[in-house]
Amino acid sequence: MRRYFAWALGAMALFSSCQMYDNLPVGDDKPALYLTKEMGKLNDLLIGNEHGWGLVLLPGSYQYGGINIAFKFHKGGAVESFSEDLDYVVNSSYRIYNTAGIRLTFDTRNPALGRYAEPRNTLLQGLEGDFEFTFGKVSANQDTIELVGAYSRNKMQLVRLKEDAQSYINKIKDIRNAVYGKALATTTIGGEQVKMSVFGLIRQLQVKVGSAEERLIPIHFSTEGIEVIAPEDLIDDRDAKQGKVGQIGTELLRRIKIQKEGDSYHAVTPSGQKVEIQSTAYDFTKYKVRTFFYEYWCGDAVRDVMNRINGVKYQSGPNEGQDSIVGDVVNDAYYTSPLNEFAYFGRTDGGDHKISLRRSSSWLSYFLDFAPASDDPSQIYIRKFVQNGDDWRYNRNAMQRMVNAFADNSPYKVSVEHYNGNDEYRITSVANEKFWMSMSGFYDPGHSIDDMPVYLNGHKF
């Protein structure tokens, strides 16, 4: 095996040595010629496999799990990219060059990689993805090529595909769709009772072991199931030393197989136990709802958050009309208008799932992920992902408190009552019964506000 990035450092050391002019390599051993040859060999290796190469992209500190991307490299620097997150093939270019090591860079617009690295989609540091990599070791059989992210410094691998890249990605999509936003029935792993929920957007497996608090384990999907990114895969030595990333009882959880049986799927634990994949009737990853924060249409705890965001006015006296509670909005340098008292949850017309609030005429959106609890499909967990677009920066003070409140009060119970021929929906925090909101029924993306009425005590709004 070879470490290609070491040759550039070796070349620098060579030229700086005291024997620089006496013992220079000659012929094919010259560093420049050697590196050029090695870059040619790597390029030939990449384009030599007709099926392409698979990569599990690991952005940031594994807070987004791993994303599957397949590449077909062609002569002349062209590359086709297939992503589990995209429904189309990305055609762009790539380049192999030497700078402190031999690097692979995707040097024209490539959304398959760039959507995880663009600064505008940021929480200060963005998703911390890579579009440039340093080559590491090539396996003896040349089926794997080690890469190190130029930005994240995460270790990744290009893996030689044995089937067409598009077919490979489609199989992963089938597995992901089978468990996306779903839960696994309670099972036993490592001698412990385990409940698991699958967050497909943030690619985390939520695990509840016995009576302990839920914790998130980073995952990626494969052609066979859910693959846990375990301690030895982590770049952070502190996490690796804890040994708890995939540890459940006496067992290190590495994968959950997902198998098709007829028209449905089931999960299989490491011990071979068959586990039911559970859906929910309240699937926020497929449908959207309208929720209200108006007085009487929500709980006191929700109103408290709204009051602190927008400020409550004195009704009389010398301070009439002034804020009695200083809200976050007054600290916003760009907007001072209040946050409107309604929101959308769930899958949007654009295909994402998130929360969207409105402030004056401006919509504010923040990506959320949803999954039901094991054995209780009416109980829904909400996890934060990342904000959407420039509006976050301009409205962050108003937005942040409300989004945090929704996430902090997770999980929720969805309930429905039938009154005068209408369905009256409510979503209530399991831990805080005062944090509840009236909401509409569940609608497919594409419905307008007027098509999503909210009912309460026989009243329609």
Side-chain angles (χ1 to χ4, degrees), residues 227-456:
E227 304 285 334
V228 172
I229 301 172
E232 57 266 36
D233 300 319
L234 291 179
I235 204 70
D236 189 334
D237 291 335
R238 293 169 299 176
D239 290 339
K241 289 176 182 177
Q242 289 175 6
K244 296 180 180 179
V245 177
Q247 192 76 40
I248 297 178
T250 59
E251 187 167 340
L252 183 66
L253 179 64
R254 291 309 306 256
R255 65 177 52 85
I256 299 288
K257 288 187 177 180
I258 306 298
Q259 295 181 345
K260 191 171 185 179
E261 187 174 6
D263 294 330
S264 62
Y265 289 83
H266 63 264
V268 180
T269 66
S271 64
Q273 182 181 0
K274 182 178 176 179
V275 180
E276 177 192 1
I277 298 174
Q278 300 175 333
S279 301
T280 173
Y282 311 111
D283 194 342
F284 289 94
T285 69
K286 293 182 179 178
Y287 309 105
K288 66 178 180 178
V289 301
R290 185 184 181 197
T291 59
F292 281 165
F293 317 136
Y294 297 106
E295 191 173 7
Y296 309 121
W297 292 74
C298 68
D300 292 343
V302 178
R303 288 300 307 166
D304 180 65
V305 177
M306 286 299 298
N307 288 339
R308 292 185 179 278
I309 290 173
N310 290 336
V312 174
K313 308 296 182 183
Y314 287 103
Q315 300 301 309
S316 60
N319 296 321
E320 182 177 353
Q322 298 180 23
D323 287 347
S324 60
I325 299 176
V326 177
D328 287 345
V329 169
V330 298
N331 297 319
D332 194 311
Y334 295 93
Y335 294 96
T336 56
S337 57
L339 196 68
N340 292 114
E341 296 173 288
F342 62 89
Y344 289 97
F345 277 99
R347 194 167 186 83
T348 66
D349 298 349
D352 302 305
H353 38 93
K354 53 191 174 186
I355 178 175
S356 294
L357 301 103
R358 195 167 72 183
R359 192 172 176 197
S360 185
S361 60
S362 175
W363 282 98
L364 327 174
S365 295
Y366 194 110
F367 287 105
L368 300 177
D369 209 356
F370 307 91
S374 296
D375 302 325
D376 189 351
S378 67
Q379 185 170 315
I380 307 297
Y381 289 95
I382 296 178
R383 296 292 186 183
K384 297 188 298 182
F385 181 55
V386 68
Q387 84 295 339
N388 177 34
D390 292 335
D391 273 337
W392 167 263
R393 297 184 308 194
Y394 301 144
N395 297 277
R396 60 190 180 276
N397 290 322
M399 185 73 169
Q400 181 170 297
R401 187 183 289 271
M402 182 56 74
V403 172
N404 287 345
F406 287 131
D408 292 343
N409 283 279
S410 174
Y412 295 87
K413 278 275 193 178
V414 177
S415 58
V416 57
E417 294 184 4
H418 306 284
Y419 187 86
N420 287 345
N422 296 312
D423 292 333
E424 298 187 354
Y425 285 86
R426 176 181 289 193
I427 183 169
T428 306
S429 168
V430 173
N432 183 1
E433 63 180 12
K434 293 184 178 181
F435 200 95
W436 63 269
M437 296 151 283
S438 296
M439 70 181 195
S440 70
F442 287 74
Y443 291 86
D444 291 319
H447 284 80
S448 65
I449 294 176
D450 294 336
D451 293 334
M452 301 174 64
V454 179
Y455 292 91
L456 179 65

Side-chain angles (χ1 to χ4, degrees), residues 47-66:
I47 66 178
N49 184 23
E50 60 176 335
H51 298 308
W53 298 81
L55 171 74
V56 178
L57 182 72
L58 297 172
S61 301
Y62 299 87
Q63 66 267 45
Y64 312 113

